[in-house]
């Protein structure tokens, strides 16, 4: 049969017609190739809740760290003659934002009674006549600074500690994990109280407390992922080619750990913000005259029955911060999850 087969000649081949070429073009894969980060960003943009929270956090960062441009008054300047004034926004005649209060069934202008002149306070004043809007901006900046500090220690200590522990393995890993277990057995509040015995209550004591304990969860998570990754084929191939451990860590391990690191970082930040607010609320955190969201809530609680806005405004800002970071963290977790790819 092979001897009777007709030989193939040049005439057997015909050029593709325009119609057939159109069909072939329509069958091509039109989607562009995307890197892991580009694909993750594409999926994150589809998550409306996460994107809204990202925008809210960007606005809060701009307002807090650019507070010098937005502050209407000095946040620490006291004026007892203008104490407990209600919020007043120029041009708005709505009860609660027009500077009026209710007395004996009628509404009176509190600013006229206090002889405030042309002064106005967007969110009112506290019991010492300090501008609540400026103090909330200052307190938000303190909270975000604490968040950035916690992020730094997570990245500088937690990631490095976890990679070294997971990569070395054996006795080194055992000793490093026993150290972490000992540190985990000591509550953060106890660490903070012990630091206050040496340092004064304030920013420095909170920073040292975060430096001691905040990175532990990151280290354990990175160590677990490193133990899994170091037996993968691409790591074994790099070791067979003679690459050093440091080069493998930075070139191969860190890119594959990036999603885990970013996600855990997003959940570490609200924990650090709440920790600072709680310490300031109970009086062992940020001390007067500096403002913190925790101290503002504590001050507002004293007059909550008669002047609830003094506690509501800082409480709302603190809640928005924590909710936004948590929802953004959920969105990042979904976008970085390979199983969720479309």
């Amino acid at each position: 049969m092979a001897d009777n087969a007709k030989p193939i000649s040049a005439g057997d081949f015909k050029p593709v017609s325009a119609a057939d070429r159109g069909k072939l073009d329509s069958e091509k894969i039109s989607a562009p190739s995307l890197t892991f980060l580009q694909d993750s960003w594409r999926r994150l943009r589809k998550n409306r809740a996460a994107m809204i929270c990202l925008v809210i956090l960007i606005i809060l960062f701009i307002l807090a760290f650019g507070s010098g441009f937005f502050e209407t008054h000095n946040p620490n300047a006291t004026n007892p003659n203008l104490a407990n004034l209600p919020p007043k926004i120029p041009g708005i005649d709505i009860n609660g934002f027009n500077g009026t209060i209710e007395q004996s069934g009628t509404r009176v202008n509190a600013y006229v009674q206090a002889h405030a002149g042309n002064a106005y306070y967007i969110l009112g004043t506290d019991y010492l006549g300090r501008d609540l809007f400026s103090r909330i901006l200052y307190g938000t900046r303190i909270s975000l600074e604490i968040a950035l500090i916690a992020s730094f220690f997570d990245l500088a200590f937690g990631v490095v500690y976890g990679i070294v522990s997971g990569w070395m393995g054996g006795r080194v890993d055992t000793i490093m994990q026993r150290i972490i277990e000992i540190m985990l057995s000591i509550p953060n509040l106890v660490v903070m109280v012990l630091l206050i015995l040496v340092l004064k209550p304030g920013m420095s004591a909170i920073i040292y407390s975060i430096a001691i304990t905040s990175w532990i969860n990151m280290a354990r998570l990175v160590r677990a992922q490193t133990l899994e990754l170091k037996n993968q084929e691409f790591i074994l191939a790099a070791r067979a080619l003679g690459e050093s451990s440091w080069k493998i860590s930075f070139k191969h391990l860190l890119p594959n750990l990036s999603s885990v690191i970013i996600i855990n970082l997003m959940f570490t930040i609200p924990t650090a913000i709440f920790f600072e607010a709680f310490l300031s609320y109970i009086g062992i955190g940020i001390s007067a005259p500096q403002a913190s969201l925790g101290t503002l809530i504590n001050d507002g609680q004293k007059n909550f029955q008669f002047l609830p806005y003094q506690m509501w405004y800082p409480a709302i800002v603190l809640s928005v911060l924590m909710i936004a970071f948590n929802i953004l963290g959920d969105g990042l977790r979904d976008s970085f999850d390979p199983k969720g790819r479309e």
Side-chain angles (χ1 to χ4, degrees), residues 84-207:
N84 297 325
L85 289 178
K88 180 181 179 181
I89 301 177
I92 296 180
D93 190 15
I94 301 175
N95 291 339
F97 296 98
N98 57 2
T100 62
I101 57 175
E102 187 173 350
Q103 290 184 352
S104 303
T106 60
R107 301 200 67 85
V108 297
N109 194 321
Y111 286 76
V112 174
Q113 287 185 341
H115 305 288
N118 295 326
Y120 65 91
Y121 297 90
I122 296 176
L123 297 182
T125 60
D126 63 4
Y127 67 101
L128 291 177
R130 295 173 296 191
D131 180 29
L132 269 180
F133 178 71
S134 299
R135 289 180 66 77
I136 288 175
L137 288 182
Y138 188 87
T140 305
R141 185 172 66 188
I142 293 292
S143 296
L144 293 177
E145 286 176 356
I146 292 295
L148 293 176
I149 291 170
S151 303
F152 168 77
F153 286 114
D154 257 16
L155 295 174
F157 295 147
V159 174
V160 175
Y161 194 97
I163 289 178
V164 172
S165 178
W167 182 260
M168 297 297 292
R171 184 175 298 177
V172 174
D173 180 41
T174 302
I175 294 174
M176 295 179 74
Q177 292 308 304
R178 298 297 83 79
I179 293 173
I180 284 183
E181 290 173 1
I182 292 173
M183 296 178 68
L184 278 175
S185 65
I186 305 174
N188 292 343
L189 188 58
V190 174
V191 174
M192 185 66 190
V193 172
L194 293 175
L195 286 172
I196 291 177
L197 297 177
V198 181
L199 304 170
K200 294 181 180 179
M203 192 77 167
S204 58
I206 296 176
I207 291 174

